[in-house]
Amino acid sequence: MSHSPGCYLAAFLLGLTPAFASAQLTEKVIVTGARAPQPLVEILADVTVINEDEIARSGTQSLAQLLQRQRGIEITANGGPGATSGIFIRGANTGHTLFLVDGLRVSSSSSGATSLEAIPLDQVERIEILRGPASSLYGADAVGGVIQVFMKRGAGPTSATLTAGYGTRSTSHLNAGVAGSTGALRFSANVGAIESDGFNSIVNPSNFGYNPDRDGYSTRNIGGSIGFDWAQGQSLELRGMRNRLDSQSDGGPDFDDRTITTLQTWSLSSRNQISASWTSTLLAGIGRDDSVSKAAFGDSLFETRQRQYQWQNDLAISVGTLSLVLERREERLETNNAFAVTSRDTDSVGLVYRTQKDGWALQANGRRDDSSQYNARNTGGVLVGYRFSPAWRGTAGYATAFKAPSFNDLYFPGFSNPNLRPEKARNAELGMAWAPAPGSELRATVYRNRVDDLIVFGCDENFNCHPGNVYKATLEGVSLGLDTKWGNTQLKASLDLQRPKNDATGALLPQRARRHGVVQVIQAWGPLRAGVEWIASSARYDNAANTIGLAGYSLLNLTLDWQLSTRWTAFVRGNNVFDRDYRIAADYSNGGAAVLAGVRGSF
């Protein structure tokens, strides 16, 4: 017997309502939902913030592992933590998520994707997740959502941190940092490294890339910031991050294939309070993704540089707040392949308007992106909310978005199409949230996202292969989430019921499940803090034709923190403790059970 999404929603709400009896969580502030700081309880968009404490206590070794625990997100990976990975937000393609680091794009112009496996968690202060199309806020590629990563900054008294860990497969982890402020000066600096012998990525001997060796990885990262508050309401800040990831992979039996990825961001910003109602923020920066793939047939080089300039003016007006955004992005690609074009520029202008009155709230966004390559694209979005009571609020929204074709799609020699159009999306959603206490929330969101002109790679009868705007897709579903705490127990849970399908064939989009969910329970007993994570997914398919199946799976992860003193904490994380053999990408292993243990110190 089948059940409608509404039946699941009702059962979820009724079954979890008692959990809010004593909820008391700290209120959070987020900026990604409207490009300006807002209390989380006031934001109309479907958002989540992951703070520094949660990142540290998670014990995860990669950004993908951390995001896998979040509502509305599935992941894919071609091996362990250092392998190529991606995420699906609400069933959208991996390239449909825009990643930002401190407001800067770090994606590869050649592939059109972000090397999220090369974003070092050791450097991260917090992560903000915005679900749903957001091109009207941030421009191209935000079809499924936006994930913004904020690196560590200095504040308060000077302090130092140290993390050291060791685990399965000779995995070692070391990180050290210092941060603080003195007078008008704020500063931070962090260095870190991870080494792991890894495991064999491809486990199917019939796969052409099969090689039974271990596929290890190593990272070396450094980051920091220095800020100067030179007058009341006036500040300058310089920020930077660099991470080098050397990751082995399987590409054949006779060669040690590997990819060396160097990810960097550098920026200088000036924030100026022009008047009581006018704040100006200027940002100039560069995002770099340099990738060298070493294989038996030779090296392949792709180096992306994105120079980015932003000027945002936030105005408090009598009927709300208005933000005016001007941006310029200059993409440059260097490669040892004979691309016909290796540069493009995009000039953008955007408006964000927000207001609240008598229980009603409104956010309206509009943006125009004018590219030297694919001409101009206009996008817009509107979100409306109504607070039925102090605890209950309903929302409704509509937004458009687009994804620009990558340089590989347009110009890769022999396998490209320079006439490709950007992919387009139209999304409508309804939401209901119950927040009986600050930071405590039960949320349900129903969405339907239509994506046109999907770029798909194919071959004709003469084996001429190139991409084309050939598919349409519908991404629809219900996303349910709970975050609450009573006493010394914290509970987070999510359930996503979705149908991301190809409109022409009715087939599920590859590597996406109809159902996936997460339950996390954290219990504290004095100096001890234990966590249990259960992650489950229904069956999926690895190809567009839905002929290569991927079985459903469930995983159990465990964490334990023991505060040894005011300065030292010991930690242990066990991943996949029951050693389940499962696949999130056909033929690729996930390594089985693994343990990492160590200490964290603060001085």
Side-chain angles (χ1 to χ4, degrees), residues 128-168:
E128 297 181 356
I129 303 168
L130 170 61
R131 302 171 185 85
S135 288
S136 57
L137 287 169
Y138 297 101
D141 309 333
V143 172
V146 176
I147 294 180
Q148 183 157 202
V149 177
F150 295 88
M151 297 302 173
K152 294 178 179 178
R153 304 172 66 192
T158 300
S159 63
T161 58
L162 176 67
T163 300
Y166 189 81
T168 309

Side-chain angles (χ1 to χ4, degrees), residues 363-383:
Q363 177 177 323
N365 318 317
R367 182 175 171 114
R368 180 179 177 85
D369 293 275
D370 194 352
S371 169
S372 61
Q373 186 181 70
Y374 51 82
N375 298 321
R377 288 294 182 272
N378 299 319
T379 52
V382 60
L383 284 163

Side-chain angles (χ1 to χ4, degrees), residues 73-291:
I73 293 181
E74 299 173 272
I75 71 168
T76 181
N78 294 341
T84 301
S85 55
I87 69 166
F88 309 108
I89 295 183
R90 291 186 178 178
N93 290 345
T94 55
H96 288 164
T97 297
L98 174 61
F99 278 86
L100 301 172
V101 175
D102 292 330
L104 297 176
R105 291 172 179 254
V106 291
S107 58
S108 166
S109 292
S110 56
S111 69
T114 300
S115 303
L116 66 141
E117 64 276 3
I119 297 176
L121 280 182
D122 286 334
Q123 302 284 343
V124 176
E125 182 176 274
R126 76 181 190 277
I127 300 169
E128 297 181 356
I129 303 168
L130 170 61
R131 302 171 185 85
S135 288
S136 57
L137 287 169
Y138 297 101
D141 309 333
V143 172
V146 176
I147 294 180
Q148 183 157 202
V149 177
F150 295 88
M151 297 302 173
K152 294 178 179 178
R153 304 172 66 192
T158 300
S159 63
T161 58
L162 176 67
T163 300
Y166 189 81
T168 309
R169 308 181 193 101
S170 300
T171 300
S172 60
H173 176 199
L174 185 64
N175 176 260
V178 61
S181 63
T182 175
L185 188 68
R186 295 172 280 107
F187 58 90
S188 68
N190 288 273
V191 294
I194 299 176
E195 296 267 2
S196 180
D197 290 345
F199 52 85
N200 180 34
S201 296
I202 296 179
V203 292
N204 180 4
S206 63
N207 188 300
F208 75 94
Y210 177 74
N211 186 336
D213 68 336
R214 286 178 175 266
D215 298 307
Y217 69 97
S218 66
T219 70
R220 301 287 186 272
N221 60 78
I222 185 171
S225 68
I226 183 167
F228 182 59
D229 302 322
W230 54 274
Q232 181 69 31
Q234 319 296 325
S235 65
L236 282 170
E237 187 171 41
L238 177 67
R239 309 183 75 170
M241 178 276 294
R242 183 182 190 274
N243 187 36
R244 183 183 187 273
L245 168 65
D246 186 339
S247 180
Q248 295 173 296
S249 59
D250 284 342
D254 302 318
F255 191 83
D256 181 21
D257 293 75
R258 65 178 60 235
T259 298
I260 300 172
T261 303
T262 304
L263 208 64
Q264 301 183 63
T265 60
W266 303 95
S267 67
L268 177 65
S269 63
S270 176
R271 182 176 176 86
N272 305 99
Q273 189 77 42
I274 307 299
S275 69
S277 58
W278 177 14
T279 300
S280 168
T281 303
L282 284 164
L283 174 70
I286 185 169
R288 292 186 57 172
D289 180 314
D290 299 339
S291 176

Side-chain angles (χ1 to χ4, degrees), residues 18-85:
F20 286 96
S22 303
Q24 295 293 328
L25 293 180
T26 303
E27 186 174 1
K28 300 173 182 176
V29 173
I30 196 169
V31 300
T32 307
R35 298 188 66 117
Q38 290 178 279
L40 185 58
V41 295
E42 294 182 5
I43 294 177
L44 297 175
D46 187 358
V47 296
T48 297
V49 58
I50 309 172
N51 62 31
E52 187 175 2
D53 181 66
E54 185 176 350
I55 295 170
R57 292 182 181 275
S58 73
T60 55
Q61 293 296 294
S62 71
L63 182 57
Q65 286 181 353
L66 181 68
L67 294 174
Q68 186 183 27
R69 313 183 318 163
Q70 305 304 316
R71 176 170 53 84
I73 293 181
E74 299 173 272
I75 71 168
T76 181
N78 294 341
T84 301
S85 55

